[in-house]
Amino acid sequence: MGKSVEEIREIFKKPINRKWIQKAREQEERIAFHARVKVDDVRTKPALDFLNRVKMWIAPDKYEIFNSMFHFPVKTNEVTSEIFDKLSRVFDGRNPAFNYQFTDSEDRDDWEYYRQEVLKEPHVWATDGWDNFKDRINSVLVIDLPEVQQGDKPEPYFYFIDIASVVSYETTKEDNNLMSWIMFKTNDERLIQIDDVFYRRFKVEKNNSLTLEVESTHDLGYCPSRFFWSDSISLQEPDIKKSPLTKVLDSLDWYLYQSTAKKHLDLYGAYPIYSGYEQDCDYVANGGKERCNGHGFLIGDKGEYIADMDGQPMKCPVCSSKRLSGAGSYVEIPVPNEQQPDLSDPIKMLTADVSALQYNVSEEERLKKNIITSVTGVGGEVQKETAVNEKQVQASFESQTTILNRIKRGFEEAQCFVDATVCRLRYGNTFVSCSINYGTEFYIYTPEQLAERYKVLKESGASESELDAMRTQIIETEYRHDPTQMQRLLILKEIEPYSHLTREEAINLYKENVISEEDLRIKLNLPTFVRRFERENMNIIEFGSNIDYSNKINKILETLKRYANEQTTLPGASA
């Protein structure tokens, strides 16, 4: 049952769920502080909150230095960027499936055009959707209709709205991710209200009253709006959505503090503290109204510092040039006398402790690694020393896959709601259902990482089947965006004898009578034989397209064996 106009006006005066909207905004602001790159040094509330916490941790003089070294973009932008780069593999699944059921085939064909050319799916989810996922996790999805229909069919579209734009809302009893109704403000001082019956637009007057401008109905039977993300931070706060960064916000704050404080230590390491004897200076000017204070600055007859045009203490023209200039510190010590002799060097340099510098470098790396691992999964990289232990590699893979599966489920739910709602608005009862699956396998490792793992597996004596599976995975990962080349390389892998042996290894085994001369000839001449086969027949991808794959491979191999037997010499295999 839709809301009446009077009910809407009353709710606008006394909004519902404002507490959750405010909490959601605060969480997003804190996430955006670390995840959203900005280059201006305007200190927003999250930055000021962070600096206020730092002020409580360190002494006032140290805080002034820290504050001078705190600039945007902040160091944690690098960490969160690496995190989201790893998580974005959710859109790169090996076996995605998008299934839409219609009773009318023409509507089915129209939908394929409409979703790709008008809605820009699936690309829009990897761009606009991903941007909201990164730092606007509490945003809301709205499926809307234009005021005037242009074509033969309705032309619904969808968009994201920031939680900050939401004035009031209420979720359904069955699912706290679905809106029962919602109202939000636009940039032109309009109020949009949507429920299970109406689309309405109001003008917000200067006295905060509402004037109805547009009202239209839809036949959905439910409100075409929902929270973008489904996962909540807790059962007690279902309307506050859980970002991948939510659990590491405090760690990000601490990493930012450590990395900024380290800049001060780096300055100290580059510019150490110097010390030397106090210097006597008898500079006096203006009838004694200006004189040197003995430390390189001018003071007046009452002992006050004399300022220059910039408001800075004026330097003594005699002795200031003899003192340390630039970065670093200079400390003066009393000149030794008869009662207090000093046999040490007159000028000293106190350098930074090397172990302290090394500790801070390693600690910064440790904090960064722990944050990335916590969010993206155990063992973010395939290392040589861990690749030997296949159980560790498999655990790392499963950890990352579990996280990606959780994220892809959130996108699947959001896209399925949008697509189903758009289809019902555009096609009515001819739309039956939709199911969306971003895939169950992901390209977690790079080709270089997989090649390193393949090398370690081979050296550790892995079976042929294990090496075959790894070789296939390398090809599929390397050429996932080039299916033609992928198909060609997978065929070549099938027809190459002893594909896991190098040329030298194959020749040595032939000399030991382990492999046949025919197989060795094919292995050593495979590129030449394949080019000849394609000249005499056709491309190996197109060849045998009308027969089953096994027969196709066998026919290619029969031809390659004929080529091998025609040779009279065996290049590179002489004793």
Short mmCIF file of all heavy atoms in Angstrom, two decimals, residues 21-55:
data_model
loop_
_atom_site.label_atom_id
_atom_site.label_comp_id
_atom_site.label_asym_id
_atom_site.label_seq_id
_atom_site.Cartn_x
_atom_site.Cartn_y
_atom_site.Cartn_z
N ILE A 21 21.25 6.41 9.33
CA ILE A 21 21.82 7.18 8.21
C ILE A 21 23.09 7.90 8.67
O ILE A 21 24.11 7.89 7.97
CB ILE A 21 20.79 8.18 7.65
CG1 ILE A 21 19.63 7.43 6.99
CG2 ILE A 21 21.44 9.14 6.66
CD1 ILE A 21 18.49 8.32 6.54
N GLN A 22 23.03 8.51 9.85
CA GLN A 22 24.19 9.23 10.37
C GLN A 22 25.36 8.29 10.65
O GLN A 22 26.52 8.59 10.32
CB GLN A 22 23.81 9.99 11.64
CG GLN A 22 24.93 10.81 12.25
CD GLN A 22 25.47 11.87 11.30
OE1 GLN A 22 24.74 12.40 10.47
NE2 GLN A 22 26.77 12.15 11.40
N LYS A 23 25.08 7.13 11.24
CA LYS A 23 26.14 6.17 11.53
C LYS A 23 26.76 5.63 10.24
O LYS A 23 27.98 5.44 10.16
CB LYS A 23 25.60 5.01 12.37
CG LYS A 23 25.23 5.39 13.80
CD LYS A 23 25.05 4.17 14.67
CE LYS A 23 26.36 3.47 14.94
NZ LYS A 23 26.25 2.41 15.96
N ALA A 24 25.91 5.40 9.24
CA ALA A 24 26.41 4.92 7.95
C ALA A 24 27.30 5.97 7.30
O ALA A 24 28.34 5.65 6.72
CB ALA A 24 25.24 4.57 7.04
N ARG A 25 26.91 7.25 7.40
CA ARG A 25 27.72 8.33 6.84
C ARG A 25 29.07 8.41 7.52
O ARG A 25 30.10 8.59 6.87
CB ARG A 25 26.99 9.66 6.98
CG ARG A 25 25.80 9.83 6.07
CD ARG A 25 25.16 11.20 6.25
NE ARG A 25 26.11 12.28 5.91
CZ ARG A 25 25.79 13.57 5.99
NH1 ARG A 25 24.60 13.95 6.39
NH2 ARG A 25 26.69 14.50 5.64
N GLU A 26 29.08 8.27 8.84
CA GLU A 26 30.34 8.36 9.58
C GLU A 26 31.28 7.23 9.18
O GLU A 26 32.50 7.44 9.04
CB GLU A 26 30.05 8.32 11.08
CG GLU A 26 29.37 9.59 11.60
CD GLU A 26 28.91 9.45 13.03
OE1 GLU A 26 29.06 8.33 13.60
OE2 GLU A 26 28.41 10.44 13.60
N GLN A 27 30.73 6.03 9.01
CA GLN A 27 31.57 4.91 8.59
C GLN A 27 32.15 5.17 7.20
O GLN A 27 33.33 4.95 6.95
CB GLN A 27 30.79 3.59 8.58
CG GLN A 27 31.68 2.42 8.20
CD GLN A 27 30.92 1.18 7.77
OE1 GLN A 27 31.39 0.07 7.96
NE2 GLN A 27 29.74 1.34 7.20
N GLU A 28 31.32 5.64 6.28
CA GLU A 28 31.79 5.90 4.92
C GLU A 28 32.86 6.98 4.88
O GLU A 28 33.82 6.90 4.11
CB GLU A 28 30.62 6.30 4.02
CG GLU A 28 29.76 5.13 3.60
CD GLU A 28 28.77 5.50 2.52
OE1 GLU A 28 28.63 6.70 2.21
OE2 GLU A 28 28.13 4.58 1.98
N GLU A 29 32.70 8.01 5.70
CA GLU A 29 33.70 9.09 5.74
C GLU A 29 35.05 8.55 6.21
O GLU A 29 36.10 8.93 5.67
CB GLU A 29 33.23 10.20 6.67
CG GLU A 29 32.08 11.03 6.11
CD GLU A 29 31.54 12.02 7.12
OE1 GLU A 29 31.98 11.96 8.29
OE2 GLU A 29 30.69 12.85 6.75
N ARG A 30 35.00 7.67 7.19
CA ARG A 30 36.25 7.12 7.70
C ARG A 30 36.90 6.18 6.67
O ARG A 30 38.12 6.16 6.52
CB ARG A 30 35.98 6.36 9.01
CG ARG A 30 37.25 6.06 9.78
CD ARG A 30 36.95 5.49 11.14
NE ARG A 30 38.18 5.07 11.80
CZ ARG A 30 38.22 4.29 12.87
NH1 ARG A 30 37.08 3.87 13.41
NH2 ARG A 30 39.37 3.93 13.42
N ILE A 31 36.08 5.40 5.96
CA ILE A 31 36.60 4.53 4.92
C ILE A 31 37.19 5.36 3.78
O ILE A 31 38.28 5.08 3.28
CB ILE A 31 35.49 3.59 4.38
CG1 ILE A 31 35.11 2.57 5.46
CG2 ILE A 31 35.93 2.89 3.11
CD1 ILE A 31 33.89 1.74 5.11
N ALA A 32 36.45 6.40 3.37
CA ALA A 32 36.90 7.24 2.25
C ALA A 32 38.22 7.94 2.58
O ALA A 32 39.02 8.21 1.68
CB ALA A 32 35.83 8.27 1.91
N PHE A 33 38.45 8.25 3.84
CA PHE A 33 39.70 8.89 4.25
C PHE A 33 40.90 8.06 3.82
O PHE A 33 41.93 8.59 3.37
CB PHE A 33 39.69 9.09 5.77
CG PHE A 33 40.98 9.58 6.36
CD1 PHE A 33 41.58 10.73 5.88
CD2 PHE A 33 41.59 8.90 7.40
CE1 PHE A 33 42.77 11.19 6.43
CE2 PHE A 33 42.77 9.34 7.96
CZ PHE A 33 43.37 10.49 7.47
N HIS A 34 40.78 6.74 3.91
CA HIS A 34 41.88 5.84 3.54
C HIS A 34 41.77 5.35 2.10
O HIS A 34 42.80 5.00 1.50
CB HIS A 34 41.91 4.64 4.48
CG HIS A 34 42.21 4.98 5.91
ND1 HIS A 34 43.41 5.49 6.31
CD2 HIS A 34 41.43 4.88 7.03
CE1 HIS A 34 43.39 5.69 7.63
NE2 HIS A 34 42.21 5.34 8.08
N ALA A 35 40.56 5.30 1.54
CA ALA A 35 40.37 4.65 0.23
C ALA A 35 40.23 5.63 -0.93
O ALA A 35 40.50 5.26 -2.07
CB ALA A 35 39.13 3.75 0.28
N ARG A 36 39.80 6.86 -0.67
CA ARG A 36 39.56 7.81 -1.76
C ARG A 36 40.75 8.76 -1.89
O ARG A 36 41.10 9.47 -0.95
CB ARG A 36 38.29 8.60 -1.50
CG ARG A 36 37.83 9.46 -2.68
CD ARG A 36 36.56 10.20 -2.33
NE ARG A 36 35.49 9.29 -1.95
CZ ARG A 36 34.38 9.66 -1.33
NH1 ARG A 36 34.20 10.94 -1.00
NH2 ARG A 36 33.46 8.77 -1.01
N VAL A 37 41.37 8.75 -3.05
CA VAL A 37 42.56 9.58 -3.27
C VAL A 37 42.16 11.03 -3.48
O VAL A 37 41.28 11.34 -4.29
CB VAL A 37 43.34 9.08 -4.50
CG1 VAL A 37 44.54 9.97 -4.76
CG2 VAL A 37 43.80 7.64 -4.28
N LYS A 38 42.80 11.93 -2.75
CA LYS A 38 42.62 13.37 -2.93
C LYS A 38 43.98 14.04 -2.85
O LYS A 38 44.89 13.55 -2.16
CB LYS A 38 41.66 13.96 -1.89
CG LYS A 38 42.04 13.69 -0.44
CD LYS A 38 41.11 14.40 0.53
CE LYS A 38 41.27 15.91 0.47
NZ LYS A 38 40.52 16.60 1.54
N VAL A 39 44.13 15.14 -3.57
CA VAL A 39 45.44 15.79 -3.64
C VAL A 39 45.48 17.13 -2.93
O VAL A 39 46.56 17.64 -2.62
CB VAL A 39 45.87 15.97 -5.11
CG1 VAL A 39 46.10 14.64 -5.77
CG2 VAL A 39 44.84 16.77 -5.90
N ASP A 40 44.30 17.73 -2.66
CA ASP A 40 44.33 18.99 -1.92
C ASP A 40 44.48 18.70 -0.43
O ASP A 40 44.12 17.63 0.06
CB ASP A 40 43.04 19.79 -2.17
CG ASP A 40 41.80 19.05 -1.72
OD1 ASP A 40 41.49 19.08 -0.51
OD2 ASP A 40 41.12 18.44 -2.58
N ASP A 41 45.02 19.66 0.29
CA ASP A 41 45.30 19.47 1.72
C ASP A 41 44.19 20.01 2.62
O ASP A 41 44.44 20.36 3.77
CB ASP A 41 46.62 20.13 2.10
CG ASP A 41 47.75 19.10 2.14
OD1 ASP A 41 47.46 17.90 2.10
OD2 ASP A 41 48.92 19.51 2.22
N VAL A 42 42.98 20.07 2.12
CA VAL A 42 41.85 20.50 2.95
C VAL A 42 41.56 19.41 3.98
O VAL A 42 41.30 18.25 3.62
CB VAL A 42 40.61 20.77 2.08
CG1 VAL A 42 39.43 21.14 2.95
CG2 VAL A 42 40.90 21.87 1.07
N ARG A 43 41.60 19.75 5.23
CA ARG A 43 41.43 18.77 6.32
C ARG A 43 39.93 18.56 6.59
O ARG A 43 39.28 19.41 7.20
CB ARG A 43 42.14 19.25 7.59
CG ARG A 43 43.61 19.63 7.38
CD ARG A 43 44.46 18.43 7.07
NE ARG A 43 45.84 18.76 6.75
CZ ARG A 43 46.82 18.91 7.63
NH1 ARG A 43 46.56 18.81 8.93
NH2 ARG A 43 48.05 19.16 7.22
N THR A 44 39.40 17.46 6.14
CA THR A 44 38.01 17.12 6.40
C THR A 44 37.88 16.51 7.80
O THR A 44 38.88 16.28 8.48
CB THR A 44 37.49 16.14 5.35
OG1 THR A 44 38.34 14.98 5.34
CG2 THR A 44 37.51 16.77 3.96
N LYS A 45 36.66 16.21 8.20
CA LYS A 45 36.43 15.70 9.56
C LYS A 45 37.22 14.42 9.85
O LYS A 45 37.84 14.33 10.92
CB LYS A 45 34.93 15.46 9.78
CG LYS A 45 34.59 15.00 11.19
CD LYS A 45 33.10 14.82 11.37
CE LYS A 45 32.76 14.42 12.80
NZ LYS A 45 33.40 13.14 13.20
N PRO A 46 37.24 13.41 8.96
CA PRO A 46 38.05 12.22 9.29
C PRO A 46 39.52 12.54 9.50
O PRO A 46 40.16 11.97 10.38
CB PRO A 46 37.83 11.32 8.07
CG PRO A 46 36.56 11.77 7.46
CD PRO A 46 36.50 13.24 7.71
N ALA A 47 40.06 13.47 8.68
CA ALA A 47 41.47 13.84 8.85
C ALA A 47 41.69 14.55 10.18
O ALA A 47 42.67 14.29 10.88
CB ALA A 47 41.92 14.72 7.68
N LEU A 48 40.78 15.44 10.53
CA LEU A 48 40.90 16.16 11.81
C LEU A 48 40.74 15.20 12.99
O LEU A 48 41.45 15.34 13.99
CB LEU A 48 39.85 17.28 11.88
CG LEU A 48 40.04 18.41 10.86
CD1 LEU A 48 38.85 19.38 10.95
CD2 LEU A 48 41.35 19.15 11.10
N ASP A 49 39.83 14.25 12.88
CA ASP A 49 39.67 13.25 13.95
C ASP A 49 40.96 12.44 14.12
O ASP A 49 41.39 12.15 15.25
CB ASP A 49 38.52 12.31 13.62
CG ASP A 49 37.16 12.99 13.75
OD1 ASP A 49 37.10 14.07 14.37
OD2 ASP A 49 36.17 12.46 13.22
N PHE A 50 41.55 12.06 12.99
CA PHE A 50 42.81 11.31 13.04
C PHE A 50 43.91 12.14 13.71
O PHE A 50 44.63 11.66 14.59
CB PHE A 50 43.23 10.91 11.63
CG PHE A 50 44.62 10.37 11.53
CD1 PHE A 50 44.93 9.11 12.00
CD2 PHE A 50 45.64 11.13 10.96
CE1 PHE A 50 46.22 8.60 11.92
CE2 PHE A 50 46.93 10.64 10.88
CZ PHE A 50 47.22 9.37 11.36
N LEU A 51 44.05 13.39 13.30
CA LEU A 51 45.08 14.25 13.88
C LEU A 51 44.84 14.51 15.36
O LEU A 51 45.79 14.63 16.14
CB LEU A 51 45.15 15.57 13.10
CG LEU A 51 45.69 15.46 11.67
CD1 LEU A 51 45.54 16.78 10.93
CD2 LEU A 51 47.15 15.02 11.68
N ASN A 52 43.59 14.60 15.76
CA ASN A 52 43.28 14.79 17.19
C ASN A 52 43.70 13.58 18.01
O ASN A 52 44.14 13.71 19.16
CB ASN A 52 41.79 15.07 17.37
CG ASN A 52 41.42 16.48 16.96
OD1 ASN A 52 42.25 17.39 16.98
ND2 ASN A 52 40.17 16.68 16.56
N ARG A 53 43.55 12.39 17.43
CA ARG A 53 44.00 11.19 18.14
C ARG A 53 45.53 11.20 18.26
O ARG A 53 46.08 10.84 19.30
CB ARG A 53 43.53 9.93 17.41
CG ARG A 53 42.05 9.65 17.58
CD ARG A 53 41.71 8.23 17.17
NE ARG A 53 41.94 7.99 15.75
CZ ARG A 53 41.07 8.27 14.80
NH1 ARG A 53 39.89 8.81 15.12
NH2 ARG A 53 41.34 8.02 13.54
N VAL A 54 46.21 11.59 17.18
CA VAL A 54 47.67 11.66 17.22
C VAL A 54 48.13 12.66 18.27
O VAL A 54 49.12 12.43 18.97
CB VAL A 54 48.22 12.03 15.82
CG1 VAL A 54 49.73 12.28 15.90
CG2 VAL A 54 47.91 10.94 14.81
N LYS A 55 47.41 13.75 18.40
CA LYS A 55 47.77 14.79 19.37
C LYS A 55 47.77 14.23 20.79
O LYS A 55 48.53 14.69 21.66
CB LYS A 55 46.79 15.96 19.26
CG LYS A 55 47.18 17.16 20.11
CD LYS A 55 46.14 18.27 20.00
CE LYS A 55 46.16 18.90 18.63
NZ LYS A 55 45.27 20.09 18.56
#
